[in-house]
Amino acid sequence: MARARVHNFHVSLDGYGAGETITLEKPIGEAQGLFAPFDGRFIDGLGGVDAPITLDRALTTTWSQGIGAEIMGRGKFGPQTGAWTDDEWRGWWGDEPPFRTPVVVLTHHRRDPLHFDNGTSFHFLDATPVEALARAVELAGGRDVRIGGGPTTIRQFLAADLVDFLHLVTVPLTLGAGVSLWEGLAGVEDRFTVESVTSPSGLTHQFWNRVTSG
Amino acid sequence: MARARVHNFHVSLDGYGAGETITLEKPIGEAQGLFAPFDGRFIDGLGGVDAPITLDRALTTTWSQGIGAEIMGRGKFGPQTGAWTDDEWRGWWGDEPPFRTPVVVLTHHRRDPLHFDNGTSFHFLDATPVEALARAVELAGGRDVRIGGGPTTIRQFLAADLVDFLHLVTVPLTLGAGVSLWEGLAGVEDRFTVESVTSPSGLTHQFWNRVTSG
């Protein structure tokens, strides 16, 4: 059965996963420091990247394995709000979005799908987490679904108990403000087994696996 | 440039990577306990395996990423010694060897190549580590080469300074006898940066990256 998986989700020590305001210049607001340790070159595997294979990088590579679709919040797709007035905007990633699968973008505002040559497509959907996941499972063709963030989206899926696996990366810095991953989720860990390991780099990696009944 | 990588190499606390005698019944001799923690289902990725994604399992999945060929010692291919009198023997793995790339098998005895439908092929070669690596790099078509073991083979490639990356898994058990990974390699760590992290399962994972000049 297709699982819903979160990968490489970075949070600060005070629990923030993004800054408060997303702009074209600052895709994750004032939280850039969160991604300083992140080397996106590794999300599609170790091949072809001529750099040491550290623990952090090995773990980063699990991002795409067995994934057939992603779900993302609108803020991950772009800085706009309200109705889509700028159809020229095709995401932050240029002609080669790294996803290479269908992506469901959660938005209250209608827009036609976008298709890219590398297998990425964006499908704009006004839906609850349950509905969005059902659509993504269809699009994933039997593979797993990645819940891609941002923090508000992850939080909604955690609250709805729809996340099967969460790879959380705690970055040893404090932001003081931003979008909290944990707000309203007190006790959420009770539904998971949690492994923690701290990398020599100072990052703490956690592997949350949902406890399944039976 | 193609790298030579070792993955998922399990050793005991006393440094043994296999038992002393390989038989048809005991492919790694008296060292089966070494592989008790190993779940081979994960070597080709997380997709399709309905089991918790633990740290150990996430790391296992890096095995095939960007790999275009493997080099293995004869003992990993089969329990026979001396000239090939049994051409019926096609390895331990049946019709679906997990490699799915060309594999160079080091042997002093001539044998024609074997080909499998899933992309695996075995090429028998009487060669030094340098020669074997050159042949594997050719076969790998620009991807990396995995040095697949057993311990004698890993040791030879380490001694010849041909290993770029080593993912070592120390299993908390003692064997008392077997094939040592470390014999004759005193100080080998000086040529690497080494990260260590201990998994909640009790396994210690090390990431050795060769220090490159310049």
Side-chain angles (χ1 to χ4, degrees), chain A residues 88-141:
Chain A
E88 296 297 300
W89 179 262
R90 293 166 61 84
W92 304 97
W93 306 278
D95 291 336
E96 293 275 349
F99 310 102
R100 301 198 182 107
T101 67
V103 176
V104 171
V105 180
L106 297 171
T107 168
H108 298 305
H109 301 279
R110 207 194 158 285
R111 184 171 172 187
D112 289 334
L114 298 175
H115 293 271
F116 290 78
D117 289 342
N118 76 348
T120 304
S121 56
F122 293 102
H123 306 258
F124 301 90
L125 200 66
D126 184 7
T128 66
V130 167
E131 293 163 350
L133 183 56
R135 177 70 180 125
V137 166
E138 275 177 18
L139 291 166

Side-chain angles (χ1 to χ4, degrees), chain A residues 1 3 5 7 42 44-56 58-59 61-62 65-67 143-144 165 193 195-201 205 207-209, chain B residues 1 3 5 7 42 44-56 58-59 61-62 65-67 143-144 165 193 195-201 205 207-209:
Chain A
M1 213 180 77
R3 294 169 295 189
R5 293 160 38 191
H7 282 270
F42 280 85
D44 285 315
L46 301 174
V49 182
D50 189 16
I53 302 171
T54 61
L55 174 71
D56 296 334
L59 295 177
T61 68
T62 58
Q65 289 180 19
I67 293 289
R143 311 191 89 189
D144 289 345
F165 171 75
T193 59
E195 280 190 357
S196 296
V197 70
T198 298
S199 161
S201 70
H205 295 273
F207 298 81
W208 293 49
N209 283 279
Chain B
M1 212 180 75
R3 295 168 295 189
R5 292 161 38 192
H7 282 270
F42 280 85
D44 286 315
L46 302 174
V49 182
D50 189 17
I53 301 171
T54 62
L55 174 70
D56 296 334
L59 294 177
T61 68
T62 59
Q65 289 181 18
I67 293 288
R143 311 190 89 189
D144 289 345
F165 171 75
T193 58
E195 281 189 357
S196 296
V197 70
T198 298
S199 161
S201 71
H205 296 273
F207 298 81
W208 293 49
N209 283 279

Side-chain angles (χ1 to χ4, degrees), chain A residues 59-83:
Chain A
L59 295 177
T60 300
T61 68
T62 58
W63 179 83
S64 65
Q65 289 180 19
I67 293 289
E70 165 158 328
I71 297 171
M72 64 170 64
R74 182 174 178 174
K76 181 169 173 179
F77 179 75
Q80 305 85 358
T81 57

